[in-house]
Amino acid sequence: MIKRIEHLGIAVDSIETALPVFEALLGSKVYKEEIVESEGVRTAFFKVGESKIELLEATNEDSAIAKFLSKNKGGFHHIAFEVDNIDDELKRLEYEGFQLIHTTPKSGADNKRIAFLHPKSTKGMLVELCQEKIS
Ligand code: ZN
């Protein structure tokens, strides 16, 4: 089951220069910064009520964010839905005909198991599913 919008991912050319902009915009401080080597991204998170904003900067040229920024100026990159059971939800969405980028969840930022759906099957929107890791 999809429970809520967990976060919106925003691609930026530089987290260093984006941080003061988002701190001023949201009136709050960044609460977490984390590098996800497997994804080639540096992330920074802001709380916005029940949801979050995730800033994403590429850490190498092969990063999906580097490719995105070569075609776009930056800005909205993906929407992340929190689910109660990511394995079940991936099966459900595959059955519904959605194209999965990850058929099995992987480790993401902010203590989450994540998987992405291909924008081809979601009217152009990159969708992330995430579930809190049980520690
Ligand atoms: Zn995300």
Side-chain angles (χ1 to χ4, degrees):
M1 187 185 77
I2 288 178
K3 290 159 72 178
R4 65 180 173 120
I5 295 172
E6 213 281 336
H7 65 266
L8 296 176
I10 309 292
V12 298
D13 57 352
S14 156
I15 281 187
E16 192 187 343
T17 60
L19 276 188
V21 174
F22 279 82
E23 286 180 345
L25 175 69
L26 301 169
S28 65
K29 291 276 176 200
V30 66
Y31 77 92
K32 186 177 214 174
E33 290 188 65
E34 188 179 347
I35 289 172
V36 185
E37 292 288 357
S38 61
E39 292 290 294
V41 294
R42 183 176 160 208
T43 65
F45 286 89
F46 289 89
K47 288 201 167 90
V48 185
E50 291 287 295
S51 299
K52 298 166 191 161
I53 296 278
E54 173 187 40
L55 302 182
L56 298 146
E57 176 194 304
T59 58
N60 65 61
E61 285 171 15
D62 296 327
S63 161
I65 296 303
K67 287 172 190 154
F68 179 80
L69 288 174
S70 71
K71 295 181 219 141
N72 303 276
K73 284 201 157 190
F76 176 72
H77 180 258
H78 66 269
I79 185 166
F81 295 116
E82 183 182 28
V83 297
D84 53 0
N85 184 321
I86 194 166
D87 302 286
D88 286 356
E89 206 57 30
L90 284 172
K91 279 184 208 134
R92 182 185 75 82
L93 292 166
E94 189 169 34
Y95 177 79
E96 292 288 349
F98 291 95
Q99 195 179 329
L100 311 182
I101 294 176
H102 307 110
T103 49
T104 53
K106 51 195 287 188
S107 199
D110 203 26
N111 196 42
K112 299 283 195 298
R113 295 173 73 214
I114 64 163
F116 282 88
L117 307 185
H118 202 287
K120 268 184 205 160
S121 59
T122 57
K123 299 288 181 190
M125 182 175 69
L126 180 60
V127 174
E128 175 183 357
L129 304 181
C130 60
Q131 180 184 2
E132 193 85 16
K133 277 184 200 164
I134 301 144
S135 46

